[in-house]
């Protein structure tokens, strides 16, 4: 391990440091791992691969920086976070180019909304923390006030899809609440998070406030969540990984929040606008289906199945698989050869077990997989019950509202739900009845950053968003003073 000038890789014309960002400086490791571009399979960079030593250095840097950062108060921290947000806005093109090369999300989406959402995250949480009003009340002869105390160093572990935005979604409330952070991005797409460290330094965040440690989950991630100086753990990823992280957090009695997978229902009732519903359903193939909130289980009232399918196939036929840097492309490649094998394996097993492949169901070259629709033989089929995280949807029918809700709630997941209906009464009834962290009616992916966000069941623990996130990164204390005893 060294702290000399870190190597730099040039990715999409942008210089990206490949070392960790710890205590305000670049730190290299004796070992590296390779990140490849899903676009063409070409190696992009050799990335420093952290072990316990580098993780310990980062956590101790966060621990040492914590008292001064916490003491700044919400307004002092907000000034730093607003500067960071401004720098993100000024670097959208660079960040989008790097992230497109590294994980193959559509470049136009990154430019138009995804990267800018990172800036919005920092501004939103900075302002929410400043606006927080401590709760005051009188009870049993005492005056009471609830106060937020910054919890301490936080471990933030983020997934490979939309890595920059999701890293800011978690680090923003942690930093605004007064925590310091060690961020561990996913090993399949670490490059834009390396640039986040650069921007934090440029924004003047004190050394050690935001640290970025790169590495393999079983090594760096495991060491990070088990470190005794970590006081909060926030994770987005798979349910299986969350089990391991939760055990480590429990050993140190550390609060843990997890946003996990989904097998989300997309319900279409006979009274719905079928053109809008079918277009939105076909849109679930965007980003090659690598979106945890996507509605992957199409549940359609049987009386409108045929007209819905006619519209759905027409909308899906309009998709263009191609280079995500091309504005004509609508479906990008999958992230990694291992993930392609996983997605293809689900479809191959479904076909072998008698499930009907209505369309797609094949690799199309490189890391591309054709948009696929499967009609299962029964609701217990693996393809219905387990998350695929690729361009694979299933379609089932229901006869009435009760059956629709029963099917919607029939998996172990509960992250999101999408409902298409023209009835306000049905929108309210079904919206209340589905078990999910969010339910959209006649729309999708509209987010209010102050609203609670998370899943139920195997889709997660805890809530992010607004004051829910700021409370998570705080220890709440009640100050209680006997009335008349002080002046």
């Amino acid at each position: 391990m060294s702290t000399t000038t870190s190597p730099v890789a040039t990715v999409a014309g942008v210089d990206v440091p490949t070392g960790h960002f710890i205590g305000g400086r670049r730190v290299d490791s004796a070992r590296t791992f390779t990140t490849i571009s899903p676009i063409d399979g070409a190696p992009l960079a050799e990335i420093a691969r952290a072990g316990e030593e580098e993780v310990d250095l980062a956590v101790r840097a966060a621990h040492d920086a914590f008292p001064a950062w916490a003491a700044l108060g919400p307004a002092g921290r907000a000034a730093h976070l607003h500067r960071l947000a401004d720098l993100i806005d000024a670097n959208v093109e660079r960040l989008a180019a790097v992230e497109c090369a590294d994980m193959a999300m559509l470049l136009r989406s990154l430019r138009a909304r995804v990267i800018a959402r990172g800036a919005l995250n920092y501004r939103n949480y900075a302002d929410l923390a400043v606006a927080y009003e401590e709760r005051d009340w009188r009870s049993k002869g005492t005056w009471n006030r609830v106060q937020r105390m910054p919890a301490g160093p936080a471990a933030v572990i983020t997934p490979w899809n939309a890595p920059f935005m999701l890293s800011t979604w978690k680090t923003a409330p942690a930093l605004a609440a007064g925590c310091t952070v060690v961020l561990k991005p996913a090993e399949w797409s670490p490059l834009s998070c390396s640039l986040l460290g650069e921007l934090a330094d440029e924004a003047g965040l004190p050394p050690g406030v935001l640290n970025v440690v790169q590495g393999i989950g079983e090594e760096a991630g495991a060491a990070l969540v088990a470190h005794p100086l970590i006081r909060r753990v926030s994770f987005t990823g798979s349910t299986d990984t969350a089990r391991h992280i939760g055990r480590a957090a429990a050993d140190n009695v550390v609060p843990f929040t997890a946003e996990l997978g989904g097998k989300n229902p997309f319900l279409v009732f006979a009274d719905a606008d079928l053109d809008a519903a079918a277009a939105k359903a076909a849109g679930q193939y965007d980003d090659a289906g690598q979106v945890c909130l996507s509605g992957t289980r199409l549940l359609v009232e049987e009386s409108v199945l045929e007209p819905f399918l006619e519209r759905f196939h027409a909308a899906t036929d309009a998709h263009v698989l191609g280079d995500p840097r091309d504005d004509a492309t609508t479906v990008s490649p999958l992230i990694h050869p291992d993930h392609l094998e996983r997605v293809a394996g689900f479809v191959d097993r479904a076909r072998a077990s008698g499930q009907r492949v209505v369309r797609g169901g094949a690799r199309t070259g490189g890391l591309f997989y054709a948009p696929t629709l499967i009609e299962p033989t029964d609701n217990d089929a693996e393809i219905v019950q387990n998350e695929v995280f690729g361009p694979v949807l299933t379609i089932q029918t229901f006869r009435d509202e009760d059956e629709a809700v029963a099917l919607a709630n029939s998996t172990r997941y509960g992250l999101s739900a999408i409902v298409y209906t023209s009835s306000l009464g049905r929108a309210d009834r079904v919206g209340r009845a589905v078990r999910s962290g969010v339910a959209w009616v006649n729309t999708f992916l509209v987010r209010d950053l102050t609203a609670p966000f998370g899943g139920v069941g195997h889709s997660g623990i805890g809530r992010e968003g607004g004051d829910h996130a700021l409370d998570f990164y705080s220890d709440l204390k009640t100050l209680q003073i006997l009335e008349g005893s002080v002046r």
Side-chain angles (χ1 to χ4, degrees):
M1 182 175 67
S2 68
T3 56
T4 57
T5 302
S6 178
V8 171
T10 301
V11 178
V14 179
D15 288 342
V16 183
T18 59
H20 316 291
F21 184 72
I22 299 174
R25 58 184 178 174
R26 289 291 168 177
V27 175
D28 293 327
S29 296
R31 300 181 301 161
T32 63
F33 64 94
T34 305
T35 182
I36 65 168
S37 177
I39 299 172
D40 56 11
L44 294 175
E46 291 296 314
I47 307 296
R49 178 172 173 172
E52 290 185 6
E53 184 179 2
E54 294 91 337
V55 168
D56 181 67
L57 185 67
V59 174
R60 292 188 183 279
H63 179 264
D64 292 344
F66 170 67
W69 181 249
L72 277 179
R77 295 189 293 267
H80 287 284
L81 299 182
H82 274 278
R83 285 196 295 272
L84 178 53
D86 291 343
L87 286 169
I88 291 171
D89 281 338
N91 285 274
V92 165
E93 288 294 325
R94 296 173 67 244
L95 291 161
V98 168
E99 188 151 303
C100 179
D102 203 20
M103 76 86 34
M105 180 177 282
L106 297 178
L107 182 58
R108 68 173 182 275
S109 296
L110 290 165
R111 284 172 167 164
R113 57 181 178 83
V114 179
I115 299 300
R117 165 70 187 276
L120 182 61
N121 286 335
Y122 285 116
R123 291 193 184 98
N124 179 73
Y125 281 111
D127 293 345
L128 278 174
V130 169
Y132 175 68
E133 294 183 3
E134 296 177 336
R135 179 187 168 207
D136 291 315
W137 77 100
R138 284 176 167 76
S139 172
K140 299 181 179 179
T142 64
W143 173 80
N144 303 266
R145 169 169 287 176
V146 175
Q147 300 173 329
R148 279 179 178 156
M149 300 184 297
V156 170
I157 300 178
T158 52
W160 47 259
N161 59 318
F164 185 84
M165 187 277 286
L166 289 174
S167 293
T168 64
W169 171 239
K170 291 180 176 293
T171 60
L175 295 171
C179 294
T180 51
V181 171
V182 179
L183 166 65
K184 193 282 188 188
E187 55 264 33
W188 284 354
S189 55
L191 295 177
S192 57
C193 291
S194 178
L195 292 176
L196 179 59
E198 295 285 288
L199 296 177
D201 189 46
E202 188 177 345
L205 270 70
V209 169
L210 176 61
N211 307 274
V212 182
V213 175
Q214 301 152 151
I216 309 303
E218 295 85 350
E219 300 169 356
L224 177 58
V225 298
H227 200 289
L229 294 180
I230 289 294
R231 300 314 310 150
R232 290 293 186 275
V233 176
S234 180
F235 169 72
T236 294
S238 74
T239 303
D240 287 342
T241 301
R243 291 189 180 97
H244 296 292
I245 294 174
R247 292 187 192 104
D251 284 343
N252 289 328
V253 197
V254 172
F256 166 52
T257 186
E259 191 263 287
L260 308 175
K263 194 67 178 177
N264 310 306
F266 189 119
L267 297 97
V268 181
F269 287 90
D271 64 352
D273 180 337
L274 293 185
D275 290 324
K280 193 64 71 176
Q284 305 307 293
Y285 292 123
D286 289 355
D287 293 319
Q290 299 171 130
V291 179
C292 59
L293 292 162
S294 289
T296 57
R297 291 186 294 133
L298 305 183
L299 306 176
V300 182
E301 193 163 349
E302 60 183 15
S303 64
V304 294
L305 176 62
E306 292 307 317
F308 171 82
L309 276 177
E310 180 181 353
R311 291 163 171 80
F312 172 81
H313 285 308
T316 302
D317 288 342
H319 274 306
V320 177
L321 280 67
D323 191 320
R325 297 166 295 192
D326 187 336
D327 283 347
T329 297
T330 61
V331 177
S332 49
L334 294 167
I335 179 74
H336 192 275
D338 290 352
H339 191 55
L340 174 61
E341 291 300 322
R342 181 180 185 276
V343 171
F346 269 104
V347 178
D348 291 345
R349 291 191 299 276
R351 184 184 281 113
S353 64
Q355 320 303 316
R356 177 175 171 241
V357 179
V358 178
R359 68 174 297 146
R363 307 166 198 245
T364 62
L367 293 179
F368 289 94
Y369 201 85
T372 296
L373 182 67
I374 294 176
E375 182 182 353
T377 57
D378 63 80
N379 195 56
D380 293 330
E382 179 196 45
I383 199 69
V384 176
Q385 293 295 321
N386 292 342
E387 183 182 44
V388 179
F389 214 64
V392 179
L393 309 181
T394 59
I395 187 160
Q396 299 167 269
T397 60
F398 60 85
R399 292 180 296 274
D400 54 33
E401 197 173 292
D402 288 343
E403 186 179 15
V405 171
L407 285 171
N409 292 340
S410 65
T411 76
R412 58 185 175 172
Y413 297 101
L415 188 58
S416 74
I418 305 164
V419 181
Y420 269 79
T421 178
S422 62
S423 165
L424 178 60
R426 176 174 288 121
D428 183 66
R429 289 191 304 273
V430 175
R432 289 175 181 273
V434 292
R435 294 284 297 166
S436 62
V438 59
W440 285 287
V441 178
N442 300 329
T443 188
F444 176 58
L445 273 186
V446 177
R447 291 281 295 118
D448 181 331
L449 300 189
T450 64
F453 178 80
V456 302
H458 282 215
S459 287
I461 300 169
R463 289 294 180 267
E464 299 176 279
D467 284 333
H468 309 277
L470 292 170
D471 282 347
F472 171 74
Y473 288 109
S474 306
D475 288 316
L476 300 183
K477 175 176 66 180
T478 301
L479 176 66
Q480 196 168 25
I481 302 173
L482 182 65
E483 287 191 288
S485 67
V486 295
R487 295 183 182 179

